[in-house]
Amino acid sequence: VAGSASSAAARAGVDACTVMHVDLDAFFAAVEVLDDPTLAGRPVIVGGTGNRGVVAACTYEARAFGIHSAMSSVEARRRCPHAVFLPGRFSRYAEISVEFHAVLHDFTPLIEGIALDEAFLDVSGARRILGSPPDMGRAIRDAVRDTLHLNCAVGVARTKLVAKLASRAAKPTPSASGPRPGPEVFVVLPEQELTFLHPMPVRALWGVGPATGKRLSSLGVATVGDLAAIPVETLCRVVGVASGRHLSALAHGEDDRPVVPLQEVKSVGHEETFAADLHDHAGAHTHVVRMSDAVGTRLREAGLRGRTVTVKIRFGDHSTITRSHTVAAAIDSPRAIGAVAGQLLDGVDLSTGVRLLGVSLSGLSHSDTDVHQLSLLDDDRVSGDEEPPRDTGPGPEGEGATEIPRASDAQGQGWQEVELAVTAVRTRYGHGSVGPATLIGGSGPGVKRRGDTQWGPSAPTPSPSEPADETSRHGKET
Ligand SMILES: [Mg+2]
């Protein structure tokens, strides 16, 4: 009887583990090996080859030489001169990423894509059909391997915080005699969380960058366990109230951030119909700035950012147009949104009178993992007449809408995929690791590039006097 009671408790613990973090192993490098099997078992490095280049990804065979992502390519070459260096193929990575997310979708629609090769899943609704969370983790691993012929690691836990760290624990380990396979699926039961978390370095926690890390080490905090032992008041004094409370909660294993599938919120917008038609740009501009403020505020409350600003204008005769612009990096500030919206408005002739104005932001990503992230699930390849923001009032949406193609559409879908990939790379490896997104995509004539490749100029190149490219705050690719 006692035995069945404790096994019921164990089952309850396992059933609480409804969050999964799935992460493809050595993604870019693994894709290169997949497409060229002669590379199998060799140290392969994807990244910039020049003096300022950085490693974007590398195989476990390269990691055995101490090479990791965000390391300078010069250093990587010094450590492993016989490694295969490749410049990378963004559109191929983006293509496989789409397949990866499709495989995950077979298990649950509740997927939060956080990078090309990484996603959180909420399997709470799916578990009765597909078995316990650990069973499902193994099924996902198998499906990824069977479909993509790539390996992944699956972390299974109660929270996003622990699931992400668990997937890291599921990874292979590099060694001189070849990579040692990891457990592939790593489950942390609720009662194991603190034992799992506390020995980890504080930098393993989201939100602990170099500056916070330094302040924490001034308190003698090296591990998550050290952090948990510090009174929250002390922590708040040193790193600020919001950050102190957040870190203290994480150190105690408390993380209530839900898995949020981004396709549920496609845009955040605000629009208004005026009592009397507006005729002047100055008046319209004031309204657009005010609405941008409302949009930015709501985005921040929701922990979202977006890349595409759309202004909607309905004229006195009820004809409606939209104007959109996509910026390179996701924004959430009212000022930034207002600046783009204002410029879009400036290009429109308002002399026939404006009945309604709207501002919205789409191409949304989460801002809560302290990076500007991109969801592949939120496909923003729409043009001018996209569906209306979900919160708008009643009215004939899109009636008489005029399709306004975006500048970027002219460059084709392939280019957009490249841009998606660039954003994801920046997310993981730091903004400076990739050249300006508008310059990526091969051989645009007359475009002045910062570097010859995405990860810094190719060799040979004069030695730069500038500091090295910014590297990631997020540590190694796994
Ligand atoms: Mg990965």
Side-chain angles (χ1 to χ4, degrees), residues 345-359:
L345 187 71
D346 288 344
V348 180
D349 177 5
L350 306 179
S351 56
T352 57
V354 174
R355 178 183 166 79
L356 172 150
L357 272 178
V359 175

Side-chain angles (χ1 to χ4, degrees), residues 23-27 63 117-118 171 428 477-478:
D23 186 359
L24 294 170
D25 294 349
F27 180 47
R63 291 177 204 203
D117 65 331
E118 254 181 81
K171 293 280 181 184
R428 303 207 58 185
E477 191 223 19
T478 50

Side-chain angles (χ1 to χ4, degrees), residues 236-432:
C236 290
R237 264 202 311 279
V238 176
V239 300
V241 173
S243 187
R245 285 187 186 151
H246 178 64
L247 290 177
S248 179
L250 293 181
H252 289 93
E254 293 160 27
D255 174 23
D256 56 8
R257 289 169 294 188
V259 174
V260 183
L262 287 176
Q263 74 272 27
E264 286 189 351
V265 183
K266 279 209 155 53
S267 66
V268 171
H270 191 84
E271 63 181 52
E272 274 179 47
T273 302
F274 304 108
D277 291 358
L278 306 173
H279 289 271
D280 64 311
H281 265 105
H285 212 277
T286 307
H287 287 291
V288 158
V289 167
R290 189 172 47 76
M291 290 178 193
S292 298
D293 199 63
V295 170
T297 303
R298 285 189 20 235
L299 281 166
R300 286 178 169 184
E301 282 167 7
L304 295 168
R305 297 165 181 265
R307 294 184 50 226
T308 300
V309 179
T310 300
V311 171
K312 176 177 174 178
I313 303 160
R314 180 165 298 146
F315 296 101
D317 63 358
H318 284 255
S319 67
T320 306
I321 64 164
T322 57
R323 291 283 189 272
S324 295
H325 179 73
T326 300
V327 295
I331 52 176
D332 64 0
S333 94
R335 202 170 148 181
I337 298 164
V340 177
Q343 277 178 23
L344 289 168
L345 187 71
D346 288 344
V348 180
D349 177 5
L350 306 179
S351 56
T352 57
V354 174
R355 178 183 166 79
L356 172 150
L357 272 178
V359 175
S360 66
L361 205 67
S362 56
L364 301 181
S365 55
H366 284 274
S367 45
D368 69 349
T369 49
D370 94 333
V371 287
H372 303 181
Q373 283 175 339
L374 167 91
S375 169
L376 294 160
L377 306 171
D378 190 24
D379 189 336
D380 65 355
R381 282 175 215 138
V382 294
S383 58
D385 60 345
E386 83 286 348
E387 57 189 292
R390 52 157 42 182
D391 59 304
T392 52
E397 293 299 341
E399 180 193 318
T402 308
E403 189 165 326
I404 309 292
R406 286 194 211 146
S408 59
D409 288 341
Q411 307 200 33
Q413 185 170 310
W415 183 87
Q416 294 230 355
E417 283 178 355
V418 168
E419 201 192 22
L420 290 176
V422 169
T423 308
V425 169
R426 281 190 164 147
T427 295
R428 303 207 58 185
Y429 307 114
H431 207 75

Side-chain angles (χ1 to χ4, degrees), residues 10-372:
R11 203 164 53 238
V14 146
D15 283 349
C17 295
T18 55
V19 179
M20 293 190 191
H21 181 254
V22 186
D23 186 359
L24 294 170
D25 294 349
F27 180 47
F28 297 167
V31 171
E32 297 301 335
V33 175
L34 177 72
D35 288 351
D36 178 1
T38 67
L39 298 175
R42 300 176 65 186
V44 175
I45 297 170
V46 175
T49 54
N51 286 345
R52 295 180 59 214
V54 293
V55 175
C58 61
T59 57
Y60 287 90
E61 287 81 0
R63 291 177 204 203
F65 293 87
I67 296 165
H68 55 78
S69 64
M71 172 181 275
S72 87
S73 296
V74 170
E75 176 64 12
R77 203 182 281 281
R78 195 188 63 73
R79 291 187 186 213
C80 187
H82 64 284
V84 178
F85 278 80
L86 297 168
R89 297 171 298 148
F90 280 131
S91 55
R92 178 69 175 137
Y93 308 146
E95 183 180 288
I96 292 192
S97 176
V98 170
E99 289 177 40
F100 169 60
H101 284 82
V103 170
L104 302 181
H105 248 274
D106 287 343
F107 290 86
T108 173
L110 299 180
I111 300 170
E112 181 179 332
I114 62 169
L116 287 184
D117 65 331
E118 254 181 81
F120 283 110
L121 276 62
D122 176 344
V123 299
S124 56
R127 70 174 183 268
R128 260 176 241 114
I129 311 159
L130 295 161
S132 70
D135 290 342
M136 211 180 307
R138 286 184 283 272
I140 289 169
R141 172 203 59 192
D142 294 345
V144 167
R145 188 172 288 156
D146 293 348
T147 312
L148 305 179
H149 310 290
L150 292 174
N151 293 328
C152 68
V154 184
V156 183
R158 186 181 59 90
T159 61
K160 285 167 104 172
L161 164 74
V162 178
K164 185 160 167 84
L165 295 169
S167 75
R168 196 173 289 179
K171 293 280 181 184
T173 315
S175 86
S177 55
R180 291 194 205 104
E184 298 180 345
V185 178
F186 195 94
V187 182
V188 180
L189 296 173
E191 60 268 29
Q192 299 168 329
E193 283 174 4
L194 297 184
T195 320
F196 175 71
L197 281 175
H198 282 180
M200 295 199 172
V202 275
R203 288 289 300 276
L205 297 179
W206 283 340
V208 180
T212 307
K214 212 168 175 181
R215 277 187 225 123
L216 291 175
S217 72
S218 76
L219 288 175
V221 171
T223 66
V224 177
D226 295 339
L227 188 63
I230 299 263
V232 65
E233 299 75 24
T234 311
L235 213 48
C236 290
R237 264 202 311 279
V238 176
V239 300
V241 173
S243 187
R245 285 187 186 151
H246 178 64
L247 290 177
S248 179
L250 293 181
H252 289 93
E254 293 160 27
D255 174 23
D256 56 8
R257 289 169 294 188
V259 174
V260 183
L262 287 176
Q263 74 272 27
E264 286 189 351
V265 183
K266 279 209 155 53
S267 66
V268 171
H270 191 84
E271 63 181 52
E272 274 179 47
T273 302
F274 304 108
D277 291 358
L278 306 173
H279 289 271
D280 64 311
H281 265 105
H285 212 277
T286 307
H287 287 291
V288 158
V289 167
R290 189 172 47 76
M291 290 178 193
S292 298
D293 199 63
V295 170
T297 303
R298 285 189 20 235
L299 281 166
R300 286 178 169 184
E301 282 167 7
L304 295 168
R305 297 165 181 265
R307 294 184 50 226
T308 300
V309 179
T310 300
V311 171
K312 176 177 174 178
I313 303 160
R314 180 165 298 146
F315 296 101
D317 63 358
H318 284 255
S319 67
T320 306
I321 64 164
T322 57
R323 291 283 189 272
S324 295
H325 179 73
T326 300
V327 295
I331 52 176
D332 64 0
S333 94
R335 202 170 148 181
I337 298 164
V340 177
Q343 277 178 23
L344 289 168
L345 187 71
D346 288 344
V348 180
D349 177 5
L350 306 179
S351 56
T352 57
V354 174
R355 178 183 166 79
L356 172 150
L357 272 178
V359 175
S360 66
L361 205 67
S362 56
L364 301 181
S365 55
H366 284 274
S367 45
D368 69 349
T369 49
D370 94 333
V371 287
H372 303 181

